[in-house]
Amino acid sequence: MCGIVGYIGPKSVDSVLLVGLTRLEYRGYDSAGIAVLDSGELQVRKEKGKIKDLERLLQAHPVEGNIGIGHTRWATHGEPNRKNAHPHVDTHKRIAVAHNGIIENHFELKQELVREGHVFHSDTDTEVIPHLVEEELKKGMEIEAALFNTIQRLRGRYAFVLLYEKDPSRIFFARDGSPLVYGHGKGESFLASDVPAIVPAALEHYVIENQQWGWVTRDELHLLDYGKQSVGFELKKIEMNVQDLDKGGFDHFMLKEIFEQSGVMRGIINERIAEGGKVVFGEKNNSNEFLSRLSRIIITSAGTSWHAGLVGKAYLERFAKISTEVDLSSEFRYRNPVAEGDTKVLAISQSGETADTIASIYEAKAKFIRVLSFVNNTSSTIARESNSFIDLKAGPEIGVASTKAYTAQLMNLLLYALFLAGVKWILDKDERMRIFDEIRRIPDQIDQILSRADVIRQWAADFRETKDFVFLGRSFNYPTALEGALKLKEVSYIHASGYAGGEFKHGPIALITDEVPVVCITPQGEIYEKMISNIEEVRARKGKIISIHTEGDEKVPGMSDYSFGIPQCSELISPILAVIPLQLLAYYVAVERGCEPDQPRNLAKSVTVE
Ligand code: M6R
């Protein structure tokens, strides 16, 4: 949460920072600001709201210069208003800081600094940083020593960039716990929370590690560790397509990303299924010997990635016959998981930066459990802190509501379960071939669903005033019900709950009236008849039925007020297809209600606080 950016080079710094911040806006959009050295003087512009609000402020009150820092905020400490917007400055407004993370001991530090006569301007934890540096400078320290002494005093998680009026050729930084990347272009240097903020101008990058600090000039990075030793580093070429970072003609990233899902599936299938039906995971992995012994898997993840984990459990148990538990990352570390036998933790995360999931990885490693992560950002903290990782290959996902990363997670988990089944020699060849045939049909089946998106768009007006939704699914599609409900509430702000169909009669059925639409995920398969019973129960109580059923079903559409068919597939494939109409429902209802689906209120794409 929160995005930070720094730039030094020949270009006008305000426009470089604005582009960078816009690309980081998925990390938070409560307020935004920049600090620039304009003719040797520190100038700060900040505004409540989104980057476009800051842009308007800059049009009215421009700044000029070639060195500066910027911030887009997801509020943790202090209201989301202009006063609390970053960058924050010291008492004499010579030092500016943009920070991502939480300074846990800010209260004690602030009390101490106030006693020393420092004047604070905000309610944030961040503001202690420029004041601590100011205090060190007051004692006669050079800026490098002042910064080093400051970071010794900070507790918590942070990445920050710092501008000092008296040092107009360097941007200082430190990282411990929150992401920070250095980018190098032609005679220009960048610092940012994430690579999209610095492409295409930055050609090479280095991911700053925890407990590293230093400064950048136009031409180079000067890197030190927390023992004050210089650190060597290798710059890597940036491989990112700028087209992936714009809306490509769609009204919103969310819709674009929903429509990208067939292409994402094709890419994963081509990459992972070799001739003869062998599943390939090119990434560094555990030895086959360890994998064939594996007797227990614990999946840890959050939000949509947790729903993917629930489907992953079904795949791993069905194909690889490995007993699998699924934990919310935020709960995992507190239940003191038992580490015994040949256990492996799978951490699933689109961003690779979710603080709860990072904490659970540390917990697992402390118990000597090996961690394999499934991430969409291979230079992320989760990828680097895990023993090995699998690239989800969904491409950059910018909409705050996760869509294509979810189906990419399901596909990769399915293939990983088949890979483990292969290692253990437990799936007969015919069954393997039958599953692979089905998997290869998925991209075209998704295209078929998307070609009928208009059907769902036309439903949306009927739900403009709806207050509550219920989603029901069973077995493989219980997680689909949870995910459908999460998508709808995230982007349309309609209250929605997902339940396992079998649990419905144990309480949630009390919610049903003629004003509550119930989405019933009812594909053909083992649970079909049971879901029909759920539909009957809702109809008996005058609830409205929205059904997602298999094409050609002659029963369910007749029992439904709204119905949408997904192509024929086996039950285990159905979660990948059935979620797509639910993503579309959430999107179109949000737009109908005038909500902004790419930037829902109170949310941020990477949740980097615990
Ligand atoms: O980046 P991660 O997959 O670790 O994120 C986990 C959740 O924060 C995320 O899935 C969240 O629930 C999304 N907003 C869902 O659309």
Side-chain angles (χ1 to χ4, degrees):
M1 287 155 151
C2 298
I4 57 178
V5 60
Y7 175 75
I8 174 165
K11 296 176 185 142
S12 298
V13 67
D14 54 333
S15 41
V16 178
L17 294 177
L18 283 173
V19 170
L21 290 177
T22 305
R23 299 253 182 83
L24 293 178
E25 209 170 12
Y26 70 87
R27 301 177 70 87
Y29 31 84
D30 287 335
S31 64
I34 64 172
V36 166
L37 292 186
D38 186 341
S39 312
E41 202 179 305
L42 186 70
Q43 294 284 345
V44 178
R45 302 283 183 275
K46 46 196 199 175
E47 193 55 288
K48 180 180 169 165
K50 303 194 174 171
I51 310 298
K52 58 178 173 3
D53 300 302
L54 173 65
E55 216 169 325
R56 269 194 291 274
L57 176 76
L58 281 163
Q59 273 155 15
H61 303 281
V63 285
E64 280 181 15
N66 305 101
I67 175 169
I69 59 173
H71 188 271
T72 180
R73 178 169 189 244
W74 185 86
T76 56
H77 291 70
E79 255 184 70
N81 54 24
R82 185 190 279 188
K83 177 178 80 166
N84 290 328
H86 297 220
H88 290 288
V89 295
D90 63 314
T91 309
H92 295 98
K93 303 198 171 102
R94 289 193 198 110
I95 301 158
V97 169
H99 161 229
N100 168 209
I102 290 183
I103 305 301
E104 285 165 2
N105 56 337
H106 71 101
F107 187 72
E108 304 92 88
L109 291 171
K110 186 169 175 176
Q111 280 185 325
E112 178 189 316
L113 287 158
V114 168
R115 277 197 301 274
E116 294 297 329
H118 289 255
V119 178
F120 277 74
H121 312 281
S122 77
D123 310 319
T124 65
D125 53 333
T126 302
E127 201 185 336
V128 296
I129 303 174
H131 287 278
L132 282 170
V133 175
E134 179 182 37
E135 187 61 22
E136 294 294 324
L137 291 170
K138 225 162 73 184
K139 291 180 198 154
M141 299 287 165
E142 295 296 325
I143 180 70
E144 297 86 345
L147 176 59
F148 181 74
N149 291 350
T150 295
I151 53 189
Q152 301 307 303
R153 304 216 47 207
L154 303 177
R155 278 207 321 270
R157 291 164 53 85
Y158 57 82
F160 66 82
V161 284
L162 180 149
L163 203 57
Y164 180 35
E165 192 178 79
K166 294 198 171 155
D167 200 327
S169 56
R170 294 190 285 178
I171 302 173
F172 298 86
F173 65 86
R175 168 187 173 154
D176 196 9
S178 300
L180 190 63
V181 175
Y182 166 69
H184 184 246
K186 289 187 182 132
E188 52 189 353
S189 284
F190 302 80
L191 288 161
S193 300
D194 201 357
V195 176
I198 57 176
V199 288
L203 307 170
E204 298 174 301
H205 78 303
Y206 167 74
V207 181
I208 313 275
E209 301 274 352
N210 281 339
Q211 308 219 327
Q212 290 185 339
W213 66 289
W215 54 89
V216 297
T217 63
R218 274 182 177 220
D219 297 308
E220 56 184 19
L221 163 67
H222 194 96
L223 192 65
L224 297 113
D225 61 21
Y226 277 14
K228 275 196 185 164
Q229 298 301 308
S230 270
V231 178
F233 58 89
E234 198 188 322
L235 289 177
K236 287 205 179 120
K237 197 165 167 248
I238 297 181
E239 320 261 4
M240 187 170 279
N241 198 342
V242 198
Q243 276 107 27
D244 287 346
L245 304 174
D246 68 39
K247 291 186 198 147
F250 286 88
D251 289 343
H252 296 97
F253 281 109
M254 181 176 175
L255 190 61
K256 177 188 175 221
E257 287 158 5
I258 291 173
F259 273 81
E260 281 173 345
Q261 290 178 103
S262 52
V264 169
M265 293 295 124
R266 277 189 195 96
I268 298 170
I269 292 167
N270 290 341
E271 176 103 12
R272 304 247 184 257
I273 307 181
E275 288 288 310
K278 191 173 179 325
V279 183
V280 189
F281 282 100
E283 292 84 354
K284 187 160 69 83
N285 247 309
N286 299 129
S287 69
N288 282 3
E289 199 232 324
F290 171 74
L291 293 176
S292 58
R293 275 201 329 261
L294 207 59
S295 56
R296 180 174 170 231
I297 287 178
I298 307 174
I299 296 180
T300 175
S301 46
T304 287
S305 298
W306 180 66
H307 300 154
L310 294 172
V311 182
K313 168 185 162 75
Y315 290 155
L316 289 160
E317 293 189 336
R318 170 79 57 109
F319 295 117
K321 310 276 182 254
I322 300 175
S323 163
T324 304
E325 296 155 45
V326 190
D327 259 350
L328 290 163
S329 302
S330 52
E331 293 293 318
F332 176 82
R333 56 190 306 211
Y334 298 109
R335 77 166 165 115
N336 196 12
V338 178
E340 57 173 15
D342 294 304
T343 300
K344 190 173 167 97
V345 161
L346 302 191
I348 308 173
S349 175
Q350 187 287 128
S351 63
E353 296 296 346
T354 299
D356 289 325
T357 307
I358 295 171
S360 59
I361 290 174
Y362 292 146
E363 179 72 23
K365 285 171 77 180
K367 290 184 178 318
F368 304 102
I369 308 178
R370 294 186 69 77
V371 180
L372 167 68
S373 57
F374 287 70
V375 288
N376 204 30
N377 179 353
T378 55
S379 55
S380 61
T381 308
I382 289 181
R384 286 174 315 116
E385 294 297 325
S386 305
N387 299 99
S388 49
F389 66 83
I390 284 172
D391 183 354
L392 291 171
K393 295 194 180 293
E397 189 182 68
I398 293 164
V400 165
S402 188
T403 52
K404 63 175 180 170
Y406 178 67
T407 44
Q409 287 165 343
L410 299 193
M411 177 60 86
N412 278 291
L413 285 161
L414 172 58
L415 293 175
Y416 188 67
L418 292 167
F419 164 77
L420 289 179
V423 171
K424 294 172 85 179
W425 296 93
I426 50 175
L427 204 62
D428 79 58
K429 199 167 170 224
D430 289 349
E431 193 180 358
R432 259 181 105 76
M433 287 311 165
R434 191 187 53 70
I435 295 163
F436 285 130
D437 282 349
E438 274 222 71
I439 291 175
R440 287 198 186 90
R441 284 200 291 275
I442 291 174
D444 290 344
Q445 292 176 324
I446 293 180
D447 279 334
Q448 278 178 43
I449 293 172
L450 293 172
S451 70
R452 288 180 290 121
D454 250 8
V455 171
I456 295 173
R457 189 174 59 77
Q458 284 161 14
W459 298 350
D462 295 356
F463 303 115
R464 193 184 300 134
E465 305 301 332
T466 304
K467 299 265 181 302
D468 298 286
F469 261 84
V470 167
F471 288 71
L472 298 181
R474 286 176 186 241
S475 176
F476 284 99
N477 282 299
Y478 164 44
T480 314
L482 298 177
E483 177 60 8
L486 176 63
K487 266 327 59 109
L488 186 73
K489 63 191 154 198
E490 271 188 304
V491 296
S492 75
Y493 316 142
I494 295 177
H495 170 258
S497 298
Y499 301 101
E503 275 296 290
F504 190 49
K505 57 188 175 297
H506 295 289
I509 196 167
L511 296 169
I512 303 307
T513 68
D514 58 358
E515 291 184 355
V516 180
V518 182
V519 179
C520 296
I521 303 145
T522 319
Q524 294 288 354
E526 206 184 347
I527 52 76
Y528 178 73
E529 291 299 338
K530 297 280 190 309
M531 279 304 301
I532 298 269
S533 307
N534 281 132
I535 293 178
E536 294 288 18
E537 286 157 12
V538 176
R539 273 158 52 96
R541 286 154 186 89
K542 302 203 173 354
K544 282 196 197 79
I545 301 288
I546 301 173
S547 64
I548 306 298
H549 57 84
T550 306
E551 270 170 7
D553 184 321
E554 288 178 355
K555 208 165 174 186
V556 170
M559 303 169 76
S560 312
D561 300 274
Y562 305 84
S563 66
F564 189 93
I566 58 169
Q568 297 266 354
C569 63
S570 65
E571 222 169 340
L572 68 101
I573 299 291
S574 64
I576 303 180
L577 301 182
V579 75
I580 292 171
L582 305 186
Q583 296 168 344
L584 289 166
L585 179 69
Y587 171 78
Y588 287 123
V589 171
V591 172
E592 182 66 36
R593 286 164 60 86
C595 304
E596 165 49 90
D598 283 344
Q599 294 177 338
R601 71 181 175 214
N602 304 338
L603 298 183
K605 182 100 185 131
S606 336
V607 184
T608 56
V609 290
E610 285 176 58

